[in-house]
């Protein structure tokens, strides 16, 4: 089995805090991502959402569309309403060959609020779980029928961020609900990426590779800071520049025949962390970790 290496435009321009890299054109993101050696990009807020427009832009750079974030609100609307809301996004992904949709429930989320600490992350009551899970199953079944599988993104500051919440999610959903394994978000929430990968290897259909600077994470937790303050302080970085053990994680992915994308998704302030420099570092480290783990990379 082989993997492909992709990157998220967060390295250049941030969706949660648009002032970060706000003046950087999409053309620069794509050109430098290709220059750094990546095969594809996830969507960001500067990407056209018409496949007839975006397709030729990506093709001109020799890049594939990897996936794209979708903000779900299943706690406040029905599965039928959610399906109608996501159809344009699904059409874009499907039209340009992406087979996974980054999917996250954002009702009551706090990760986009600079003044709300991560300790205030929302949780779901039993009644909310009972409302959420059947709706998610229905939406996931629909997407899979259309040829694009949901990759549920556990995310700091949302209703599903901890390892225990991932367990509940996986126990209550059908195989149509894939799992996006994000090493940085999981470690940031006190979880173990190796343990989660072992438990849910068959459900993992997308992987985000963001590393953690241990001392910054500790400071964020000790001073009760927000997600965005953590980003600005340098909590996240590209794989190999923090303390997460990617070689061991990739060995487990190889053993489970993972054959999707490995995506560098490291929120940093581009004025501090030079985007092309960190993109190259992330790609070089991913290549090295893959080689050490026996994962074949398709260019």
């Amino acid at each position: 089995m082989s993997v492909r290496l992709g990157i998220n435009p967060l390295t250049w321009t941030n969706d949660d805090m648009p002032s970060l890299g706000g003046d950087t054109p999409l053309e620069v993101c794509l050109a430098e991502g290709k220059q750094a050696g990546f095969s594809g990009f996830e969507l960001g807020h500067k990407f056209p959402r018409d496949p007839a427009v975006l397709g030729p832009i990506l093709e001109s750079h020799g890049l594939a569309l990897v996936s794209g974030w979708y903000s779900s609100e299943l706690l406040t609307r029905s599965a039928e309403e959610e399906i109608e809301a996501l159809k344009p996004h699904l059409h874009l992904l499907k039209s340009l060959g992406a087979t996974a949709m980054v999917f996250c429930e954002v009702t009551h989320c706090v990760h986009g609020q600079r003044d709300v600490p991560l300790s205030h992350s929302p949780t779901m009551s039993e009644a909310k779980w009972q409302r959420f899970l059947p709706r998610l199953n229905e939406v996931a079944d629909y997407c899979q029928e259309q040829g694009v599988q949901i990759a549920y993104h556990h995310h700091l500051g949302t209703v599903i961020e901890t390892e225990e919440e991932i367990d509940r999610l996986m126990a209550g959903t059908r195989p149509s609900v894939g799992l996006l394994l994000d090493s940085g978000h999981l470690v940031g929430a006190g979880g173990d990426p190796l343990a989660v990968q072992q438990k849910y290897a068959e459900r993992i259909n997308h992987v985000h590779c963001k590393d953690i600077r241990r001392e910054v994470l500790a400071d964020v937790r000790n001073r009760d800071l927000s997600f965005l303050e953590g980003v600005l302080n340098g909590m996240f970085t590209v794989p190999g520049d923090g303390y997460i053990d990617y070689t061991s994680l990739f060995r487990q992915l190889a053993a489970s025949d993972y054959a999707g994308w490995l995506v560098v998704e490291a929120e940093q302030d581009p004025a501090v962390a030079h985007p092309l420099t960190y993109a190259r570092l992330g790609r070089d480290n991913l290549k090295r970790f893959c080689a050490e783990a026996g994962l074949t990379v398709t260019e």
Side-chain angles (χ1 to χ4, degrees), residues 113-134:
Q113 300 177 55
R114 187 172 175 180
D115 60 343
V116 179
L118 277 172
S119 61
H120 290 199
S121 292
T123 58
M124 285 193 280
S125 65
E126 182 61 30
K128 288 180 179 179
W129 277 108
Q130 294 299 329
R131 184 189 318 153
F132 174 70
L133 294 171

Side-chain angles (χ1 to χ4, degrees), residues 103-119:
F103 190 99
C104 183
E105 178 65 26
V106 300
T107 303
H108 306 310
C109 67
V110 301
H111 65 277
Q113 300 177 55
R114 187 172 175 180
D115 60 343
V116 179
L118 277 172
S119 61

Side-chain angles (χ1 to χ4, degrees), residues 43-91:
L43 294 171
H45 69 281
K46 294 183 178 179
F47 283 61
R49 296 304 167 120
D50 181 347
V53 176
L54 179 57
I57 293 173
L58 291 174
E59 186 176 352
S60 70
H61 289 276
L63 292 164
L65 177 61
V66 176
S67 184
W69 171 283
Y70 177 77
S71 295
S72 164
E73 298 177 41
L74 281 169
L75 286 172
T76 59
R77 57 190 178 196
S78 68
E80 293 77 15
E81 290 169 331
E82 199 69 72
I83 287 169
E84 286 303 312
L86 65 72
K87 279 183 177 178
H89 186 62
L90 177 62
H91 174 67

Side-chain angles (χ1 to χ4, degrees), residues 149-165:
Q149 187 183 22
I150 280 176
Y152 193 93
H153 192 341
H154 55 93
H155 195 289
L156 289 167
T158 72
V159 292
I160 299 177
E161 67 170 23
T162 67
E163 195 167 331
E164 292 74 21
E165 288 161 346

